[in-house]
């Protein structure tokens, strides 16, 4: 049985849906961003000291480690994980779910984006403007990796978790 891996843009609810899904399935939940912070400290500090390239390399190492879990788990990935070709190759062996989100939903969730340097570094523009550009760049990668795409219309966390469980059971 493989892991269930949640991917999607910043503000799509990967961490909250992942936690709900794990609870319903009785599986462990791990989140690459949380693991990153536990190991390296706050993401904005890491970005400003080492830059995005170093962040991506460390993120890809963490994703590989967490996907190699001793028990099938629910794994929530950071929004930019799919830019790594090595990560995309690993995802081929997992059950991968893309959480889609509308611009309005993302805007409400990211707020001032204080913990998300990709949306704030070097710009005074509203974070949602950067978000839109980044999402347009990455959307093909999310779609390429996904076995299931959960539509943005499934607004509640529990609806999204339920849709994933039903799709996973059909897929078996
Ligand atoms: C990033 C997304 C963030 C975090 C980092 C970079 C990105 O995770 O990994 O700030 O490049 O999209 P979330 O998707 O959980 O916000």
């Amino acid at each position: 049985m493989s892991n269930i891996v949640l991917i999607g843009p910043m503000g799509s609810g990967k961490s909250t849906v992942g936690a709900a899904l794990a609870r319903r399935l009785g599986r462990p939940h791990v989140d690459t961003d949380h693991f990153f912070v536990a190991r390296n400290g706050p993401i904005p500090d890491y970005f400003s000291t080492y830059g995005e390239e170093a962040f991506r390399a460390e993120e890809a190492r963490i994703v590989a480690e967490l996907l190699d879990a001793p028990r099938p788990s629910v794994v929530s990935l950071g929004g930019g994980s799919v830019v790594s070709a090595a990560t995309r190759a690993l995802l081929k062996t997992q059950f991968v779910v893309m959480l889609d989100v509308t611009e309005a939903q993302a805007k409400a969730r990211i707020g001032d984006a204080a913990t998300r340097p990709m949306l704030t570094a070097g710009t005074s523009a509203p974070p949602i403007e950067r978000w839109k550009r980044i999402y347009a760049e990455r959307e093909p990668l999310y779609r390429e990796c996904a076995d299931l795409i959960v539509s943005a219309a499934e607004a509640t966390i529990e609806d999204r978790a339920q849709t994933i469980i039903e799709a996973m059971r059909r897929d078996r």
Side-chain angles (χ1 to χ4, degrees), residues 70-88:
R71 284 177 56 196
S73 302
V74 177
V75 186
S76 301
L77 301 196
S81 306
V82 294
V83 303
S84 156
T87 294
R88 293 201 302 281

Side-chain angles (χ1 to χ4, degrees), residues 46-152:
Y46 194 94
F47 257 78
S48 60
T49 309
Y50 302 108
E52 184 182 351
E53 208 180 314
F55 174 84
R56 295 292 165 216
E58 173 67 352
E59 178 178 51
R61 277 193 292 275
I62 288 174
V63 170
E65 241 176 82
L66 295 183
L67 291 182
D68 194 25
R71 284 177 56 196
S73 302
V74 177
V75 186
S76 301
L77 301 196
S81 306
V82 294
V83 303
S84 156
T87 294
R88 293 201 302 281
L90 283 179
L91 291 182
K92 294 203 165 91
T93 60
Q94 313 285 325
F95 185 73
V96 181
V97 181
M98 172 190 177
L99 296 184
D100 207 0
V101 67
T102 64
E103 188 185 319
Q105 289 165 340
K107 189 174 178 197
R109 293 222 188 91
I110 60 183
D112 68 0
T115 61
R116 291 182 168 109
M118 289 295 291
L119 301 180
T120 53
T123 178
S124 54
I128 193 65
E129 295 306 319
R130 271 269 179 93
W131 182 93
K132 281 196 275 189
R133 189 146 44 84
I134 293 172
Y135 186 35
E137 281 167 19
R138 293 178 182 164
E139 190 181 358
L141 297 177
Y142 295 133
R143 291 183 184 275
E144 170 196 319
C145 293
D147 297 301
L148 170 71
I149 298 173
V150 178
S151 128

